[in-house]
Amino acid sequence: MKQRIRTILFGTILLFSSIIFGQDISLFQQFNGRYDFVFVGNTLNPIENSYQSTVEVLTTSSADLTLNPNDVIEKAYLYWAGCGTGDFDVKLNGQAITPDRTFSHQRVFSSLVFDYFSAFKDVTAQVQATGNGSYTISDLDVSSFIDFHAQRSTNFAGWALIVVYKNPALPLNQLNVYDGMQAVPDEINITLNSLNVIDNVDAKIGFLAWEGDSGIAVNETLRINGNPIGNPPLNPVDNAFNGTNSLTNSSTLYNMDLDVYPIQNNINIGDTSAQIQLTSGQDFVMINAIVTKLNSQLPDATVAINNVATTCDSRTIIADFKVSNYNSTAVLPLNTPISIYANDVFIRTFFTQTIIPIDGNEIGQVTLIIPNTIADSFDLKFIVDDNGSGVGIVTEISEINNKFTVPVVLRVSPLFNLLPNNEACNEGAGKGTFNFSDYETLVKVNSSDTVRFYDSLLNAQNNTNPIFNTSNFVALSTPKTIYIRLENAHCSNITSFILETKNCPPIVHNFVSANNDGENDTFHIDGLIGIFLKYKVSIYNRWGTLIWTGNSATQEWDGFATNGILLDNKEIPAGTYFYIIDLNDPDYSEALTGYLYLTR
């Protein structure tokens, strides 16, 4: 008892010199449906720390979970806490546990810094597998901190399970789990958001708190929306956090509280938030988690865009979507509006076609024409329960989860540069050998596009039998159209150019060795026969006498005379002769002339 009096006096003297740091309580998880919750947990203090003659905190303790046969475990959250900077390796029923999240709190008295911690783990799978029975936390060790914290009688440790369960016999409720780490003295104010109060009957609130003392009640009040609440005799109005468990009616939950209070007279229908205020003139209390249960029968509309189909060079898109009413407690009515925006520009509104039940959905498809004022790349946004002006017509559990946005890129076929026709020398009957290898680069507007060449439009359309030899392509007849297929990631486009042959200047081989050895036995002219169809070749001797004429109907000159004085077609002597080649082609108005040399 002397230790108790000394602690109270010391706390009063240093009350105004304390500085407190922690994490604000905020919404962690919301459940909507036929849900309720229960607390299970235990302290590791063998006796309230204010009354300890020997400083001690245990490392293990147990508690029992007892649910009704039709209660189905939905979620189970484990919290453990203690003095010091933290022990984050504990065991639940012998299974090693490491936290998903941690919380810390620091309290400074002059030159003394007191640390406290809490940890969180989602243990749903383990608790679902175990079900009803005993749960034991072990290896929770704060022994290295208890002597220091005993100076302020804040040496403690404990654990709790928040179990959310479903039962078809329950009313439709909204369950909110909030957590963080906030403490008094002197005062903390917590705003519980995301509430939807439709009926306040059987509304309740539960607190998981640490380090409350049963014998300290100096200006200690718990208020909901400004109204003091209590649950006497277990939780007096002036000593709410006093080491009790209101679910088991235990007053030996030393230095922690698992308390549930009815609040149906402290919260009103239509409320979307509640104000929690905790004051304490001396008792050090840390709030770790708060759970609210309110009767709430509301839909909760959400929308998802599952797929957006686009067509090349079209501003018409087809969107597959799903409107859902999950996590709800009432049906979503027929004709709930869904508005569509592109880059926040309103496009159109349409409506749900059915009454969507609780946990149900409606799948639909909508065709949209995107205005030309919208860029090809834009954000497509669906907002359910929006009449097109940002106003909803349905009261929902949550009004902040109605939007769904996906990026959309309209498909545009590759652009291309127009290409000139490609020319090659006529090799006879319109045959030509062409080089258009540089056209792959020339045709592109976008360098990343893929280019292939085809000798027919059908092949280009079907992307079959491309031309690979673009530097030495032989066309057997001309003019011939070559088709080009350009492709980007989504679309293709086709353009073309024409292969044309022209009659190139003939090449005269002006040396004839008429000795029948198979080499240069005739007067040969490359690019003449089969190309210039009306040509005429005339050969003269050195005195200007015509000795031979030929055309497309004759053979090449072989050194014999067919004109002039040698009318008997005699072999003429070796020497220098003169030729005239009349091409009779509009591109060649002048005849080709020169000397040729005949040997025997």
Side-chain angles (χ1 to χ4, degrees):
M1 191 65 181
K2 291 180 181 179
Q3 172 71 21
R4 170 72 175 165
I5 295 172
R6 179 173 59 83
T7 301
I8 293 173
L9 291 174
F10 187 56
T12 303
I13 293 169
L14 294 182
L15 175 64
F16 300 101
S17 63
S18 64
I19 303 173
I20 296 174
F21 305 96
Q23 293 87 50
D24 288 347
I25 300 290
S26 61
L27 180 65
F28 170 64
Q29 190 68 57
Q30 185 179 86
F31 303 87
N32 292 281
R34 301 184 188 277
Y35 293 104
D36 207 334
F37 73 96
V38 66
F39 289 151
V40 176
N42 205 350
T43 180
L44 272 70
N45 282 27
I47 192 171
E48 188 175 303
N49 52 24
S50 297
Y51 296 99
Q52 290 183 359
S53 58
T54 301
V55 177
E56 185 179 9
V57 177
L58 305 176
T59 61
T60 184
S61 68
S62 301
D64 293 333
L65 172 64
T66 304
L67 296 175
N68 294 321
N70 292 332
D71 294 337
V72 178
I73 296 170
E74 181 75 13
K75 282 291 182 181
Y77 300 136
L78 173 65
Y79 294 84
W80 67 97
C83 57
T85 54
D87 181 2
F88 301 117
D89 295 296
V90 301
K91 291 181 180 177
L92 175 63
N93 286 357
Q95 181 173 320
I97 299 292
T98 56
D100 299 329
R101 296 178 294 137
T102 62
F103 306 94
S104 63
H105 186 85
Q106 195 171 77
R107 192 180 184 203
V108 181
F109 286 87
S110 300
S111 59
L112 297 178
V113 178
F114 294 87
D115 290 297
Y116 308 90
F117 77 94
S118 172
F120 166 91
K121 180 69 175 181
D122 187 330
V123 292
T124 301
Q126 183 178 356
V127 175
Q128 285 175 335
T130 303
N132 286 340
S134 181
Y135 287 84
T136 300
I137 283 288
S138 57
D139 293 355
L140 176 47
D141 187 0
V142 297
S143 59
S144 61
F145 306 105
I146 61 177
D147 287 337
F148 177 74
H149 279 266
Q151 300 176 76
R152 297 296 308 163
S153 294
T154 58
N155 50 296
F156 84 97
W159 64 275
L161 280 170
I162 298 176
V163 178
V164 177
Y165 61 90
K166 181 184 287 189
N167 189 317
L170 290 170
L172 293 168
N173 296 318
Q174 180 188 82
L175 222 67
N176 285 346
V177 179
Y178 306 83
D179 62 17
M181 198 78 156
Q182 289 183 253
V184 292
D186 299 323
E187 177 182 307
I188 56 174
N189 291 278
I190 301 169
T191 300
L192 303 183
N193 292 312
S194 301
L195 301 179
N196 282 286
V197 182
I198 301 303
D199 185 345
N200 60 6
V201 175
D202 198 29
K204 65 182 181 179
I205 188 167
F207 292 88
L208 166 59
W210 308 108
E211 227 306 290
D213 294 276
S214 61
I216 303 178
V218 180
N219 191 32
E220 182 175 319
T221 60
L222 175 63
R223 289 180 171 86
I224 305 294
N225 289 334
N227 302 315
I229 64 170
N231 187 23
L234 193 66
N235 300 109
V237 173
D238 62 349
N239 194 3
F241 298 102
N242 55 354
T244 56
N245 184 337
S246 60
L247 286 86
T248 62
N249 208 37
S250 170
S251 59
T252 60
L253 198 67
Y254 303 121
N255 300 109
M256 66 176 286
D257 282 86
L258 293 174
D259 294 325
V260 178
Y261 299 91
I263 57 170
Q264 66 184 47
N265 296 322
N266 303 100
I267 196 163
N268 298 314
I269 296 173
D271 284 355
T272 59
S273 65
Q275 301 299 318
I276 308 296
Q277 183 186 57
L278 174 61
T279 63
S280 174
Q282 181 179 329
D283 197 5
F284 176 57
V285 179
M286 292 180 291
I287 304 296
N288 198 174
I290 301 174
V291 183
T292 61
K293 188 199 81 169
L294 303 168
N295 186 257
S296 174
Q297 297 185 35
L298 287 176
D300 189 29
T302 59
V303 65
I305 303 171
N306 298 323
N307 183 63
V308 178
T310 59
T311 304
C312 293
D313 303 318
S314 172
R315 301 190 70 83
T316 299
I317 66 174
I318 300 174
D320 297 322
F321 65 92
K322 179 169 68 174
V323 177
S324 302
N325 190 28
Y326 301 143
N327 196 31
S328 62
T329 53
V331 299
L332 184 67
L334 176 71
N335 290 326
T336 298
I338 307 159
S339 291
I340 302 175
Y341 300 82
N343 282 351
D344 294 321
V345 175
F346 174 74
I347 303 298
R348 61 168 292 194
T349 298
F350 60 104
F351 301 88
T352 57
Q353 301 299 299
T354 61
I355 296 173
I356 302 178
I358 296 170
D359 292 332
N361 63 72
E362 176 182 295
I363 296 174
Q365 186 180 84
V366 62
T367 299
L368 306 169
I369 299 175
I370 305 303
N372 292 328
T373 54
I374 303 296
D376 291 342
S377 177
F378 62 93
D379 286 334
L380 181 67
K381 183 192 303 181
F382 278 40
I383 305 180
V384 65
D385 191 23
D386 177 0
N387 64 4
S389 60
V391 176
I393 65 171
V394 179
T395 302
E396 301 178 66
I397 287 173
S398 175
E399 300 289 353
I400 62 173
N401 61 354
N402 299 91
K403 300 177 183 178
F404 196 94
T405 302
V406 295
V408 175
V409 178
L410 295 179
R411 298 182 177 187
V412 178
S413 294
L415 299 176
F416 56 83
N417 297 313
L418 294 176
L419 295 174
N421 294 339
N422 191 277
E423 284 189 335
C425 292
N426 186 0
E427 298 173 12
K431 177 183 176 183
T433 302
F434 297 85
N435 180 2
F436 46 88
S437 57
D438 59 337
Y439 278 25
E440 179 176 353
T441 300
L442 294 177
V443 75
K444 291 182 183 181
V445 173
N446 188 334
S447 61
S448 64
D449 291 343
T450 299
V451 174
R452 293 184 180 90
F453 298 86
Y454 302 84
D455 63 359
S456 74
L457 178 59
L458 184 62
N459 283 342
Q461 291 170 338
N462 295 332
N463 197 16
T464 56
N465 300 319
I467 297 170
F468 295 107
N469 184 14
T470 58
S471 61
N472 194 36
F473 178 77
V474 176
L476 298 179
S477 62
T478 55
K480 181 177 181 60
T481 301
I482 298 296
Y483 297 90
I484 304 176
R485 181 187 178 98
L486 298 95
E487 294 180 346
N488 55 28
H490 303 287
C491 300
S492 64
N493 210 346
I494 294 175
T495 183
S496 65
F497 63 95
I498 296 175
L499 301 180
E500 296 178 318
T501 55
K502 62 179 180 179
N503 294 341
C504 296
I507 300 174
V508 177
H509 298 275
N510 61 351
F511 179 77
V512 179
S513 59
N515 55 9
N516 296 319
D517 63 356
E519 295 183 8
N520 300 320
D521 288 332
T522 60
F523 181 36
H524 180 68
I525 305 167
D526 286 337
L528 180 66
I529 298 175
I531 298 170
F532 293 90
L533 302 181
K534 297 180 180 181
Y535 74 87
K536 177 182 179 182
V537 178
S538 302
I539 297 177
Y540 297 84
N541 63 16
R542 69 182 65 184
W543 296 284
T545 302
L546 177 66
I547 62 172
W548 186 87
T549 59
N551 54 38
S552 59
T554 62
Q555 299 295 319
E556 294 179 339
W557 182 58
D558 57 1
F560 285 81
T562 57
N563 284 39
I565 58 173
L566 300 176
L567 294 179
D568 56 355
N569 197 22
K570 295 293 185 178
E571 180 180 288
I572 63 175
T576 300
Y577 294 85
F578 186 76
Y579 66 83
I580 297 175
I581 304 173
D582 291 309
L583 298 176
N584 293 316
D585 186 282
D587 292 333
Y588 298 90
S589 56
E590 296 184 4
L592 305 180
T593 61
Y595 294 94
L596 63 87
Y597 306 96
L598 176 67
T599 62
R600 294 290 183 180

